[in-house]
Amino acid sequence: MDSQNSSGDIQVKLDVISDEIVEKHLCKVSSVIEIISEEKAEPVRVNESGKYYVAYDPLDGSSLIDVNLSVGSIFGIYKGGYSGENVVAAVYVVYGPRVEMVVARDTVELFRLNEKTGVFDFVKELRLNEKGKILAPGGTQKEWYPFHKEMIDNLFKEGYRLRYSGGMVPDLHQILLKGGGLFAYPATNDKPKGKLRKLFEVFPFAYVYNKAGGLAVDGFKSLLELDSQNYHDTTPCFFGSNYEITKVLQTYEGAKK
Ligand code: AFP
């Protein structure tokens, strides 16, 4: 029985099926010139007269499927190429107890899928407070650099609450909806360039957090100032409210000295 397959097989099938569905629909959009998926090595040309490049992760967090946690899809919309400064919009969808979509253009808007009509109804605009209460510390803790561990420990001593599922989309969605905090996936001894991918995950969420009144950095500068040498490059990344990101910048600048 299929259910006997190892969860990895099922996840692989879901990753591939999700990618096929997204590609089929994006290829119908006349304003799209090219798309690239986290699931593919190379981009797909769509419409030579189009003007938008779309980089997407069709099913982020697929390792969480077999433990029935929330997962999501992430879309970065670029004009002129896949660099942080070329992001012109970002969208993500969270598949949880409810299906919700967040669209970042000049503002950040929350939509909720109406099961009866099949339409995403507008709910509200999302804004981050100056300071939050939630901390999502990613990466293998025994591989954290000492100064990073001290920074995380100090935030917990300030009373931050640990909220980390291992799914970037629900983890960042929670911080955004609860008004603030910090999500960190840093450079570590085993992953010195971080784990999360620039084009498909990091640049889109950096855009969302900046438009929601927060900040997103690699430890030293805005993630949206970064470019990418290869389609699947990764980067250390921190997303959050101004107070927490300022702490990150102070910590990492201090560690350089
Ligand atoms: P999977 O897609 O393999 O489940 O990885 C999810 C992810 O890319 C991102 O959604 C999480 O924030 C991050 O990995 C979690 O990584 P760790 O399991 O190393 O904390």
Side-chain angles (χ1 to χ4, degrees), residues 15-256:
D15 280 328
V16 171
I17 292 168
S18 306
D19 187 27
E20 287 169 354
I21 293 168
V22 171
E23 180 173 341
K24 184 179 79 178
H25 289 283
L26 282 178
C27 285
K28 295 174 191 165
V29 181
S30 59
S31 61
V32 171
I33 184 168
E34 183 181 284
I35 61 175
I36 183 164
S37 166
E38 184 179 287
E39 300 301 325
K40 287 196 180 69
E42 298 295 327
V44 172
R45 296 296 284 187
V46 176
N47 185 325
E48 290 312 318
S49 59
K51 59 180 175 180
Y52 298 109
Y53 293 74
V54 182
Y56 64 94
D57 183 354
L59 189 63
D60 183 82
S62 50
S63 70
L64 303 174
I65 296 278
D66 60 353
V67 293
N68 200 26
L69 287 179
S70 297
V71 293
S73 301
I74 312 167
F75 303 85
I77 294 92
Y78 301 76
K79 211 170 168 185
Y82 302 112
S83 69
E85 64 187 8
N86 286 346
V87 181
V88 295
V91 177
Y92 69 83
V93 181
V94 194
Y95 310 107
R98 298 187 292 226
V99 177
E100 294 188 334
M101 174 171 67
V102 169
V103 179
R105 286 168 287 201
D106 291 333
T107 60
V108 179
E109 296 178 304
L110 171 66
F111 297 83
R112 188 169 291 151
L113 181 63
N114 181 324
E115 306 268 342
K116 294 190 183 66
T117 63
V119 172
F120 279 92
D121 296 331
F122 173 75
V123 176
K124 61 180 176 180
E125 186 179 326
L126 299 176
R127 290 292 295 173
L128 287 160
N129 301 325
E130 270 303 297
K131 183 180 185 300
K133 300 185 178 72
I134 288 177
L135 182 50
T140 305
Q141 296 198 21
K142 78 174 181 62
E143 303 296 350
W144 287 350
Y145 298 156
F147 61 84
H148 178 84
K149 176 163 174 33
E150 187 182 2
M151 177 186 76
I152 297 293
D153 291 345
N154 288 338
L155 285 169
F156 279 128
K157 283 177 191 152
E158 285 188 40
Y160 282 77
R161 314 283 298 279
L162 171 63
R163 293 287 184 275
Y164 191 79
S165 75
M168 178 182 200
V169 175
D171 288 345
L172 282 164
H173 190 59
Q174 177 173 201
I175 291 171
L176 197 51
L177 265 63
K178 298 278 177 130
L182 176 65
F183 174 100
Y185 207 106
T188 55
N189 294 317
D190 61 335
K191 294 187 173 80
K193 291 201 169 136
K195 172 185 182 184
L196 301 181
R197 294 173 186 83
K198 289 179 177 179
L199 271 56
F200 315 101
E201 298 163 327
V202 174
F203 289 162
F205 267 109
Y207 189 84
V208 171
Y209 267 60
N210 277 277
K211 288 296 182 185
L215 294 169
V217 299
D218 65 354
F220 304 98
K221 62 179 172 180
S222 169
L223 289 164
L224 294 179
E225 290 176 33
L226 302 181
D227 60 18
S228 190
Q229 306 310 317
N230 303 296
Y231 294 125
H232 295 270
D233 282 352
T234 62
T235 177
C237 53
F238 304 84
F239 307 87
S241 304
N242 295 327
Y243 172 84
E244 291 86 347
I245 296 295
T246 301
K247 286 267 182 200
V248 170
L249 293 170
Q250 288 168 345
T251 301
Y252 277 70
E253 280 303 326
K256 266 194 340 188

